[in-house]
């Protein structure tokens, strides 16, 4: 967990922190910018710069995950918001066509909103990799090393869960030259993430073994292993993670960039509404009355920006300073529950689900394998609501559980006319075609 104070120096990061925020062909233009608030490369090539570099990596991860609250970064919408719109957590309640494409599951590679999200996720990955390399060089046995590798691994997981097969991973050399990367399958991204988490944990000896950064690495590794359909290994990875653990990405009022963008876009911008039974397959978030997915009806000036759409305000992020739980002990228990279910151990499955949902009333066995699967993913959806887990879960239901995509994603008639599209992931933006090794998605399968 990082403090806001630790992030105040992140604006001074070398422009490398933005290497994936622009098409790689545009890097020369980026480096030509005369900005007195951007440090030259040499100024961060020393041990004294490590806190600033790590703070920048955490800040870039926050932007990618939660978005921003104003003009900074082009009013960037984070993965919480856009994956929520794409799945059944949010519905778009305004008129911008790029967001409507995402809501309708019909995203074009030219979609500028999705393009910015891709750049910010790649920026977060690159900034974490930069921080990891510098910590390894100057101070390997440190919490910063553990956290940097863990953030790099989690960024790779998010890329793999969000995008089609074929995400290129490009890098920069020490002298600032781009090295274009070839397309990678989602499975390759998850395998690389596991390796990053293992590297993180290799430095988590002694007092660091129980640090928040080390627990982040354990939960992140288990998440990647679930994506790889290795549930028993995933459960083993999180066996020692306390249920009370949380790794928090903190919002701040210091700058628009540091605001919780999900709050800003929904409760201030009124662009999205929390949902209930969206597209037939969506969960009854509102009707359930479950406090983990609390919603409040907007009235008067809080009506949606498109006045024909009722606005329901999520109550998870209610200020610019709201924190996002990027990984937790609750997620660890849910991973153990899924592993138990896959192993046919119903008693442990229920015990782990109930441990994750405490102090809510305990659940009973629904009695059939199909009902238990539904219960598992409902509990995951409610416990991990608006934390960028839902898209990965819906894709896993198609890929690992044999479900048809039109039985788990919102489907049927779209409320603005037409029908929901067939997308089960985001395409890679057309701007990435500046990379000579990249063409487009290898495939669009789950």
């Amino acid at each position: 967990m990082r403090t806001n104070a630790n992030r105040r120096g992140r604006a001074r990061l070398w422009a490398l922190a933005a290497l994936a925020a622009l098409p790689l062909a545009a890097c020369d233009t980026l480096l030509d910018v005369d900005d007195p608030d951007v440090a030259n490369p040499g100024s961060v090539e020393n041990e004294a710069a490590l806190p600033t570099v790590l703070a920048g990596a955490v800040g870039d991860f926050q932007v990618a995950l939660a978005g921003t609250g104003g003009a900074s970064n082009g009013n960037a919408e984070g993965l919480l918001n856009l994956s929520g719109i794409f799945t059944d957590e949010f519905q778009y309640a305004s008129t911008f066509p790029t967001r409507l494409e995402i809501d309708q599951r019909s995203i074009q590679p030219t979609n500028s909103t999705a393009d910015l999200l891709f750049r910010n996720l790649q920026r977060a990955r690159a900034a974490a990799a930069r921080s990891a390399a510098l910590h390894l060089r100057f101070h390997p046995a440190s919490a910063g090393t553990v956290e940097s590798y863990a953030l790099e691994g989690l960024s790779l997981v998010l890329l793999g869960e969000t995008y089609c097969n074929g995400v290129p991973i490009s890098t920069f050399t020490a002298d600032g030259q781009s090295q274009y990367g070839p397309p990678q399958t989602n499975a390759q991204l998850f395998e690389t993430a596991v390796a990053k988490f293992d590297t993180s944990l290799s430095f988590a000896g002694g007092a660091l073994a129980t640090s928040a950064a080390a627990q982040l690495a354990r939960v992140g590794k288990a998440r990647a292993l679930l994506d790889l359909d290795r549930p028993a290994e995933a459960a083993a990875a999180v066996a020692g993670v306390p249920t009370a653990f949380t790794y928090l990405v903190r919002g701040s009022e210091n700058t628009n960039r540091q605001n919780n963008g999900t709050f800003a876009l929904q409760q201030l911008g009124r662009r999205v509404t929390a949902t209930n039974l969206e597209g037939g397959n969506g969960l009854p978030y509102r009707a359930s009355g479950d406090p983990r997915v609390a919603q409040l009806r907007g009235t008067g000036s809080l009506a949606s920006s498109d006045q024909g759409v009722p606005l329901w305000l999520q109550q998870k992020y209610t200020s610019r300073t709201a924190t996002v739980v990027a990984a937790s002990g609750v997620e660890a228990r849910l991973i153990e529950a899924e592993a138990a279910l896959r192993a046919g151990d119903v008693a442990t499955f229920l015990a782990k689900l109930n441990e994750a949902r405490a102090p809510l009333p305990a659940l009973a066995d629904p009695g059939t394998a199909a009902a238990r699967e539904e219960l598992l993913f409902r509990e995951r959806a409610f416990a991990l609501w608006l934390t960028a887990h839902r898209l990965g879960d819906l894709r896993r239901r198609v890929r690992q559980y044999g479900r048809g995509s039109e039985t788990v994603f919102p489907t049927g008639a779209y409320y603005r006319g037409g029908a929901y599209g067939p997308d089960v992931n985001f395409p890679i933006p057309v701007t990435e075609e500046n990379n000579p090794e990249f063409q487009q998605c290898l495939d669009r399968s789950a």
Side-chain angles (χ1 to χ4, degrees):
M1 179 174 66
R2 308 299 303 166
T3 65
N4 293 328
N6 286 341
R7 296 195 204 134
R8 289 172 185 158
R10 71 181 174 213
R12 300 177 186 73
L13 284 177
W14 176 31
L16 176 63
L19 69 89
L22 293 172
L24 291 175
C27 290
D28 289 342
T29 302
L30 173 65
L31 296 175
D32 287 340
V33 172
D34 182 15
D35 186 344
D37 201 31
V38 175
N40 63 53
S43 68
V44 293
E45 292 287 337
N46 57 71
E47 185 171 358
L50 293 182
T52 298
V53 173
L54 178 56
V58 173
D60 284 335
F61 184 80
Q62 176 189 344
V63 169
L65 186 64
T68 64
S72 171
N73 247 34
N75 268 324
E77 292 178 53
L79 187 59
L80 300 187
N81 188 58
L82 293 181
S83 68
I85 291 171
F86 186 80
T87 61
D88 65 341
E89 294 178 317
F90 275 152
Q91 188 162 51
Y92 190 57
S94 191
T95 58
F96 290 97
T98 56
R99 282 80 167 183
L100 289 171
E101 284 184 8
I102 296 169
D103 192 25
Q104 199 171 356
R105 294 177 52 215
S106 186
I107 309 171
Q108 300 303 308
T110 53
N111 186 303
S112 60
T113 300
D115 186 2
L116 184 56
L117 174 65
F118 183 77
R119 297 181 189 204
N120 284 335
L121 280 169
Q122 289 279 24
R123 172 187 285 174
R125 173 195 60 79
R130 172 69 174 164
S131 180
L134 288 175
H135 278 83
L136 188 62
R137 178 179 172 186
F138 293 113
H139 195 6
S142 68
T145 307
V146 177
E147 187 169 17
S148 297
Y149 276 110
L151 286 173
E152 185 182 2
L154 189 52
S155 298
L156 288 164
V157 169
L158 295 176
L159 283 165
E161 290 181 350
T162 305
Y163 289 91
C164 62
N165 280 295
V167 174
I169 301 297
S170 299
T171 59
F172 267 63
T173 62
D175 61 357
Q177 298 301 306
S178 59
Q179 289 186 327
Y180 292 106
Q184 297 191 30
T185 65
N186 297 153
Q188 287 174 314
L189 293 178
F190 298 140
E191 292 283 9
T192 303
V194 170
K196 297 296 181 182
F197 292 126
D198 282 339
T199 301
S200 172
L201 291 169
S202 73
F203 292 102
L208 292 178
T210 57
S211 66
Q215 306 295 23
L216 170 65
R218 294 185 179 98
V219 176
K221 178 181 177 179
R223 181 172 176 176
L225 289 167
L226 267 193
D227 284 320
L228 289 165
D229 202 16
R230 291 152 60 181
E233 293 176 64
V238 294
V241 176
T243 305
F245 157 71
T246 55
Y247 180 90
L248 302 178
V249 176
R250 295 187 180 277
S252 167
E253 292 187 337
N254 289 342
T255 66
N256 285 337
R257 172 182 160 88
Q258 293 169 281
N259 293 169
N260 181 300
T262 303
F263 163 78
L265 288 160
Q266 207 223 4
Q267 299 204 10
L268 300 181
R270 307 181 308 282
R271 297 182 186 176
V272 293
T273 182
T275 60
N276 189 65
L277 299 170
E278 184 189 356
N281 297 318
L283 290 176
Y285 296 106
R286 185 158 59 249
S288 70
D290 192 303
R292 296 172 293 181
V293 294
Q295 304 178 20
L296 180 67
R297 179 70 168 91
T299 58
S301 62
L302 293 179
S304 67
S305 58
D306 181 345
Q307 298 300 313
V309 180
L311 180 68
W312 288 87
L313 301 170
Q314 54 76 25
Q315 296 298 290
K316 192 162 195 166
Y317 308 118
T318 57
S319 72
R320 292 182 176 87
T321 63
T323 59
V324 176
V325 178
S328 68
V330 167
E331 183 180 354
R333 301 292 83 79
L334 291 166
I335 290 168
E336 292 172 330
E338 184 165 357
L341 180 64
R342 295 286 293 276
D345 185 349
V346 176
T348 300
F349 163 67
L350 287 171
K352 294 297 183 180
L353 281 189
N354 287 324
E355 188 174 351
R357 62 185 271 116
L360 296 176
L363 300 167
D365 181 12
T368 68
R372 290 173 191 134
E373 179 189 326
E374 293 293 336
L375 180 61
L376 168 69
F377 283 97
R378 178 187 172 106
E379 282 299 295
R380 284 185 59 88
F382 282 21
L384 305 176
W385 189 53
L386 299 179
T387 59
H389 286 76
R390 184 64 169 160
L391 177 53
D393 278 356
L394 294 184
R395 292 181 70 180
R396 287 198 305 113
R397 295 198 75 180
V398 176
R399 190 170 69 246
Q400 298 172 4
Y401 288 81
R403 298 293 298 271
S405 62
E406 301 311 302
T407 70
V408 292
F409 281 90
T411 191
Y414 187 59
Y415 82 105
R416 286 184 178 273
Y420 284 92
D423 290 355
V424 295
N425 48 46
F426 284 56
I428 297 162
V430 68
T431 51
E432 188 61 32
E433 291 179 10
N434 288 309
N435 178 349
E437 297 197 43
F438 175 76
Q439 298 297 318
Q440 241 307 317
C441 296
L442 300 176
D443 64 66
R444 296 297 304 276
S445 65

